[in-house]
Amino acid sequence: MHNTAYYQNQRLQLENVALDDIAAHFGTPCFVYSKNALEQSFLAYKNALGDRSHLICYAVKSNSNLAVLQTLANLGAGFDIVSLGELERVLLAGGDPNKIVFSGVAKNAAEMQRALEVGIHCFNVESEAELELLNTTAAEQNKIAAVSLRVNPDVDAKTHPYISTGLKENKFGIDINLAPQIYQRAAAMDNIAVVGVDCHIGSQITEIKPFIDAMDRLLALVDQLEALGISLKHIDIGGGLGVPYQNESTPSVADYMSELLPKLAGRPQTLVMEPGRSITANAGVLLMKVEFIKSNGEKNFAIVDAAMNDMLRPALYEAWMDIQPTSLNSSATAGLYDVVGPVCETGDFLGKDRSLAISQGDNLCLFSAGAYGFVMSSNYNSRPRVAEVIVDNNLAYLVRARETIADLVRGEQLLPETDQG
Ligand code: LLP
């Protein structure tokens, strides 16, 4: 099963609420997340790590809705952020600043200042230039910045090129071979405290081996640094496991940890992880309605009310995401459909050649939409961003209102009228 949505009496539900009821109440398109599924996927990491000293920093970029962050903060989650906006979201949701790691290739001085002011756990620094700016910024505030260097272990994560980050050719991180000398520079800086090492080799990784290879390289670096008199307090392996979008078999967190943790036996460092997708992807769906059915000769199209601006993954990565009707009661006969949206782009599709028994007006569910869904949505074609709902047992809560036309033009201004006379 790739998602926590399931059929009960031919109707698709999330926890104990039918998706058709959510569509009727909140309208479509809308993202719907299961609170329980979010909790269970976070606890899978927590339980697998057991007594091992660890910090699970949920990658906010995968889904930054305040109620999602709040749900995870209540379980003791830390957070991996990449911007001031994500930092403020975590604080608004009640997250503990001391459990925040700050990733990203281009943190600016204002972002550093705010993060220092609230006292984050660590900056994951990606270049020498960033290290210098951080040292200066911390000095201005009379603070010491805790730093980990993001190294590039040069392992092939065997994932989509757009989401592979651990190879030398990527813009991310510091060449692992150059890291020791940069650590020495950092250790000598007055307002920097060297505390850790981190890496992130890519996303949607469905094998354990690339993570283990990366950890081996990090550990070799940790030992090299120890010999130079630099002792680290934590090792951060970056993002989490990939997830099943179809029926792919993906390793469980428990399997992953049973291979990773023995590597760390006897080592004092805290293990930090930054999972995003594996916490949120299969905890959420995108609900949409079939507006029209259309045939162009050979091809059938189900034109739905959601589009690439709401869910960009199929258009951007040719990602395959499952699409099923929310009710199996349809009298329609199955046909092969391209599921497409209203945006004026040929690339605006959510699925191609899907066998579906559907009629105009039916609701469809796009599965595995909890990660990199709403967060990547835009207002392209002046489409208001959609609502977000969280289901908790038999209750459904609106956790982000659908945008209005007023939201769309907020901040815009007409030019003053000029006298053409
Ligand atoms: N840490 C860092 C530094 C990252 O760059 C990322 C993801 C993560 C953690 C979380 O990785 P995860 O556990 O989610 O695999 N938009 C793409 C995914 C981009 C991932 C970027 N970095 C997609 O929809 O597939």
Side-chain angles (χ1 to χ4, degrees):
M1 192 68 182
H2 55 62
N3 199 283
T4 33
Y6 63 100
Y7 286 101
Q8 172 103 351
N9 302 326
Q10 310 222 307
R11 296 176 88 204
L12 203 51
Q13 34 182 88
L14 215 52
E15 301 200 21
N16 289 314
V17 183
L19 291 179
D20 276 341
D21 293 344
I22 291 181
H25 194 82
F26 298 101
T28 56
C30 75
F31 284 94
V32 193
Y33 315 122
S34 155
K35 180 163 182 267
N36 184 256
L38 288 168
E39 291 172 338
Q40 293 312 316
S41 52
F42 178 79
L43 291 174
Y45 279 94
K46 196 170 170 175
N47 295 337
L49 283 155
D51 294 339
R52 163 89 226 172
S53 158
H54 69 265
L55 180 60
I56 308 160
C57 293
Y58 164 68
V60 174
K61 65 167 76 68
S62 82
N63 185 323
S64 60
N65 182 282
L66 291 185
V68 169
L69 302 181
Q70 173 196 27
T71 301
L72 298 173
N74 285 342
L75 297 177
F79 296 92
D80 166 45
I81 59 163
V82 292
S83 69
L84 181 61
E86 288 191 351
L87 173 58
E88 298 299 347
R89 281 180 175 278
V90 170
L91 299 174
L92 285 168
D96 179 351
N98 189 35
K99 291 185 181 169
I100 295 176
V101 297
F102 198 157
S103 301
V105 283
K107 304 167 195 80
N108 61 38
E111 291 178 316
M112 291 174 178
Q113 276 158 10
R114 179 69 173 140
L116 286 164
E117 179 183 290
V118 301
I120 66 163
H121 188 69
C122 178
F123 290 86
N124 290 349
V125 168
E126 299 218 16
S127 64
E128 275 189 278
E130 181 190 340
L131 191 60
E132 277 161 29
L133 179 63
L134 183 57
N135 186 41
T136 319
T137 311
E140 282 161 11
Q141 283 176 257
N142 221 359
K143 293 250 161 75
I144 305 287
V147 159
S148 154
L149 292 190
R150 173 169 172 176
V151 297
N152 193 332
D154 200 27
V155 299
D156 185 358
K158 299 194 177 65
T159 184
H160 189 287
Y162 283 16
I163 51 177
S164 176
T165 50
L167 285 169
K168 274 190 177 161
E169 65 209 53
N170 300 124
K171 71 176 173 183
F172 300 102
I174 291 169
D175 183 340
I176 196 161
N177 301 311
L178 302 176
Q181 68 196 61
I182 303 176
Y183 267 105
Q184 284 178 302
R185 271 200 72 192
M189 289 178 170
D190 287 344
N191 293 78
I192 297 290
V194 170
V195 298
V197 62
D198 64 285
C199 73
H200 174 72
I201 54 173
S203 195
Q204 185 53 12
I205 299 172
T206 53
E207 291 169 44
I208 296 175
K209 188 160 182 305
F211 291 110
I212 303 295
D213 290 350
M215 181 53 87
D216 281 339
R217 294 187 191 180
L218 292 186
L219 292 176
L221 175 62
V222 169
D223 293 341
Q224 216 180 331
L225 293 173
E226 194 72 51
L228 294 170
I230 299 173
S231 300
L232 301 186
K233 293 193 183 136
H234 76 242
I235 303 174
D236 178 348
I237 189 68
L241 287 170
V243 301
Y245 280 97
Q246 203 160 1
N247 292 313
E248 312 94 314
S249 70
T250 51
S252 69
V253 180
D255 289 345
Y256 174 25
M257 286 311 121
S258 69
E259 289 194 39
L260 189 71
L261 294 186
K263 295 262 168 203
L264 298 167
R267 294 193 178 257
Q269 285 87 8
T270 297
L271 173 65
V272 179
M273 316 194 74
E274 305 168 359
R277 190 192 309 267
S278 47
I279 308 275
T280 47
N282 280 328
V285 301
L286 173 61
L287 269 184
M288 54 208 185
K289 189 174 97 190
V290 179
E291 299 280 21
F292 303 110
I293 286 183
K294 167 171 169 176
S295 287
N296 280 350
E298 309 271 282
K299 208 74 181 152
N300 298 319
F301 295 95
I303 304 176
V304 294
D305 56 0
M308 66 188 285
N309 73 295
D310 304 308
M311 171 49 83
L312 186 59
R313 302 192 69 257
L316 188 59
Y317 313 115
E318 293 185 349
W320 191 97
M321 303 177 77
D322 200 7
I323 299 173
Q324 298 294 339
T326 54
S327 164
L328 297 177
N329 291 326
S330 176
S331 52
T333 46
L336 266 195
Y337 290 93
D338 280 7
V339 179
V340 300
V343 162
C344 305
E345 297 251 5
T346 307
D348 180 29
F349 68 92
L350 297 169
K352 287 191 170 164
D353 294 323
R354 302 304 171 88
S355 172
L356 293 166
I358 46 169
S359 314
Q360 186 171 340
D362 287 353
N363 291 318
L364 295 182
C365 170
L366 180 94
F367 287 80
S368 318
Y372 306 111
F374 184 88
V375 286
M376 292 176 75
S377 68
S378 77
N379 292 125
Y380 188 38
N381 277 208
S382 283
R383 291 167 49 83
R385 282 180 298 166
V386 306
E388 291 177 287
V389 171
I390 290 194
V391 170
D392 182 10
N393 191 9
N394 56 357
L395 297 173
Y397 300 91
L398 182 66
V399 291
R400 193 181 206 274
R402 187 179 305 284
E403 286 181 345
T404 62
I405 300 301
D407 292 329
L408 271 186
V409 295
R410 190 158 64 90
E412 292 185 35
Q413 273 201 3
L414 297 177
L415 292 171
E417 293 292 340
T418 50
D419 189 355
Q420 302 290 323

